[in-house]
Amino acid sequence: METGFGNIYTAGVFDLFHASHAERITIILGKFPGRHLIIGVASDAYVKSFKRAPVQHLEERINTIKAIYQANKRVSVIVDPLKTYTDKYTASFYNKYNITDHCQRDDWDENPKVYEYIKSKKGFHEIGQSNLISKDELISRLMPSEVIELGGDNNINFRIGNIAIKKIIHGSISFIDDAYTQLRDKKLFGITHFKRFYDMIFIPFIEGVVTPDISVKEIMDLTEQIAKSGLKPTITIMDVFRKFDYVPDKDLYAPLLNDITHICHGDLAYTNIVKGPNGLIPIDWEWLCYSVPYWDLANFLTSLYIYGHNSLEEILEKTKEVPDPKLAMLSTMLLCDYWLQWSVSAGQDFFPKECRELLDFLTKHY
């Protein structure tokens, strides 16, 4: 294998350093025992000249290799001299670093002249292709291109890789921009980035499961997190009511309507909560608002009944687990009353039978 007694050279992009990169370096070190290996890392400009921009910029890629081989005195790292894929390695480059042998995949078809000089010196060694994972395969696993349709009561939601895409249907675009911008800026509830194009929202996909298996205490803890989040809604629940032509009974709901100061998710049905390793994460923040006491709890309890997970009696018992059961019952009644009108105004057949049953039952026991 050895044709000279100087240093060995190999070059690559080394983006997202992975097993096939390590395999190549291990092979070279094994074939040239005792010799020094210089690893050339392609510049960002070079990579862009024949393929997409690397995921990691040059400094990050160099630092990765240096960190991995910092204890190996036989390895050093430099910036590869090629500026574009049409360039070639010259005698001056090899002489500068005392390189007598160059180990590489043979890219002859891409650029016939790239290894012309070192091949004339019989110092080129083809390493061959690796059967281990490639960068493209790694990126494909990290960011799959398959589009997955997600569920949702009245939303159109998709997932591509770690991105969730939501179509705005009922909410105000300016209001939604404000809500998600606040969440992003404060890095709350998994929203580390947010972009909107027309009526499509792009946000992080939250890993976990949607399940009704959530206790009242967990919901109350979550609503307290929301209340103390520092979010500043731009609307109140009365604005939402007006949007869907709902006028609440001022006499019946007076104990609630006198206090519309609570920061609420606004639509905290269990179908809008992801249960994951970091606890409960609310999703679908289209209705962030100032609302009445226990409004988020009311959304949660009502969703348990309309989807058939709890009986009327079980919902009543759950309202008794909070500091003020009467207000919890009244808030749930208000929600059912509103949802009945919402179904008419929005033209959605959203469980009117179940909402009426729960409203009548709680009214009877209030």
Side-chain angles (χ1 to χ4, degrees):
M1 172 66 73
E2 294 195 9
T3 59
F5 299 97
N7 296 325
I8 317 301
Y9 185 72
T10 191
V13 179
F14 298 106
D15 202 11
L16 300 174
F17 194 92
H18 50 76
S20 63
H21 292 145
E23 180 189 47
R24 185 211 302 185
I25 293 170
T26 299
I27 290 173
I28 296 171
L29 291 172
K31 289 183 179 295
F32 295 89
R35 303 270 295 277
H36 189 84
L37 172 63
I38 299 174
I39 300 174
V41 182
S43 69
D44 296 340
Y46 173 80
V47 181
K48 291 177 183 177
S49 75
F50 68 99
K51 61 196 322 182
R52 61 168 174 74
V55 175
Q56 297 174 291
H57 59 66
L58 176 62
E59 184 178 0
E60 290 174 331
R61 291 180 281 122
I62 287 178
N63 288 339
T64 297
I65 299 174
K66 284 182 175 180
I68 292 171
Y69 293 100
Q70 61 181 338
N72 193 328
K73 303 302 182 183
R74 293 178 56 201
V75 176
S76 60
V77 186
I78 66 171
V79 179
D80 187 77
L82 301 186
K83 303 301 182 185
T84 73
Y85 78 98
T86 59
D87 291 345
K88 64 181 180 179
Y89 294 103
T90 63
S92 61
F93 165 70
Y94 292 115
N95 292 335
K96 176 180 178 181
Y97 292 98
N98 190 30
I99 296 168
T100 57
D101 297 274
H102 190 144
C103 297
Q104 205 76 29
R105 229 176 11 99
D106 193 345
D107 298 320
W108 194 262
D109 292 338
E110 290 183 12
N111 179 4
K113 295 183 178 181
V114 63
Y115 307 120
E116 193 173 53
Y117 172 79
I118 199 69
K119 284 187 173 184
S120 72
K121 299 296 182 181
K122 309 298 183 185
F124 182 82
H125 309 280
E126 187 175 348
I127 298 302
Q129 298 285 0
S130 173
N131 292 321
L132 300 178
I133 190 171
S134 68
K135 176 188 61 184
D136 289 340
E137 184 181 354
L138 181 61
I139 291 174
S140 178
R141 290 186 187 181
L142 291 172
M143 301 188 67
S145 58
E146 180 184 6
V147 179
I148 300 170
E149 185 173 5
L150 304 174
D153 296 337
N154 298 284
N155 298 304
I156 299 175
N157 304 316
F158 299 94
R159 175 187 180 181
I160 302 179
N162 61 353
I163 298 295
I165 304 173
K166 298 177 56 59
K167 181 178 175 64
I168 301 171
I169 298 178
H170 297 295
S172 160
I173 287 179
S174 62
F175 163 68
I176 289 170
D177 277 347
D178 180 79
Y180 277 101
T181 297
Q182 287 192 57
L183 289 164
R184 179 199 62 196
D185 292 348
K186 295 178 181 294
K187 292 182 169 52
L188 291 173
F189 303 110
I191 305 299
T192 55
H193 56 270
F194 158 66
K195 289 288 185 181
R196 180 185 60 78
F197 299 94
Y198 306 102
D199 61 351
M200 305 299 290
I201 298 173
F202 296 77
I203 52 178
F205 177 78
I206 307 298
E207 294 287 354
V209 296
V210 173
T211 173
D213 186 22
I214 300 172
S215 69
V216 170
K217 181 182 183 306
E218 288 177 305
I219 287 296
M220 293 307 296
D221 289 344
L222 180 59
T223 60
E224 185 175 3
Q225 289 180 44
I226 296 170
K228 295 180 177 179
S229 64
L231 293 169
K232 298 185 182 301
T234 58
I235 61 172
T236 72
I237 195 62
M238 297 305 294
D239 296 314
V240 179
F241 289 167
R242 282 190 288 270
K243 177 179 175 65
F244 295 103
D245 303 317
Y246 172 64
V247 179
D249 184 323
K250 291 184 179 180
D251 293 329
L252 175 62
Y253 297 120
L256 292 174
L257 301 178
N258 289 334
D259 182 13
I260 307 177
T261 62
H262 300 262
I263 300 173
C264 294
H265 173 279
D267 191 18
L268 203 63
Y270 86 83
T271 51
N272 284 335
I273 303 172
V274 173
K275 194 172 189 176
N278 297 319
L280 303 181
I281 305 293
I283 58 174
D284 291 357
W285 289 83
E286 281 88 338
W287 301 110
L288 173 68
C289 63
Y290 289 108
S291 192
V292 300
Y294 297 115
W295 185 249
D296 280 344
L297 173 67
N299 276 267
F300 173 72
L301 294 179
T302 305
S303 70
L304 292 181
Y305 179 69
I306 65 176
Y307 286 108
H309 298 292
N310 280 169
S311 66
L312 293 170
E313 291 76 13
E314 288 171 330
I315 297 299
L316 179 61
E317 289 304 308
K318 287 181 184 293
T319 63
K320 298 176 181 179
E321 296 180 37
V322 302
D324 194 330
K326 280 287 189 181
L327 276 186
M329 288 176 59
L330 194 60
S331 189
T332 307
M333 291 160 54
L334 176 64
L335 179 74
C336 291
D337 206 1
Y338 157 63
W339 273 3
L340 285 167
Q341 175 57 32
W342 180 90
S343 296
V344 174
S345 181
Q348 298 281 333
D349 184 18
F350 189 69
F351 301 97
K353 174 178 176 292
E354 290 79 2
C355 287
R356 173 56 62 187
E357 288 172 349
L358 183 55
L359 174 60
D360 291 345
F361 179 82
L362 292 178
T363 300
K364 179 181 177 181
H365 290 83
Y366 179 65

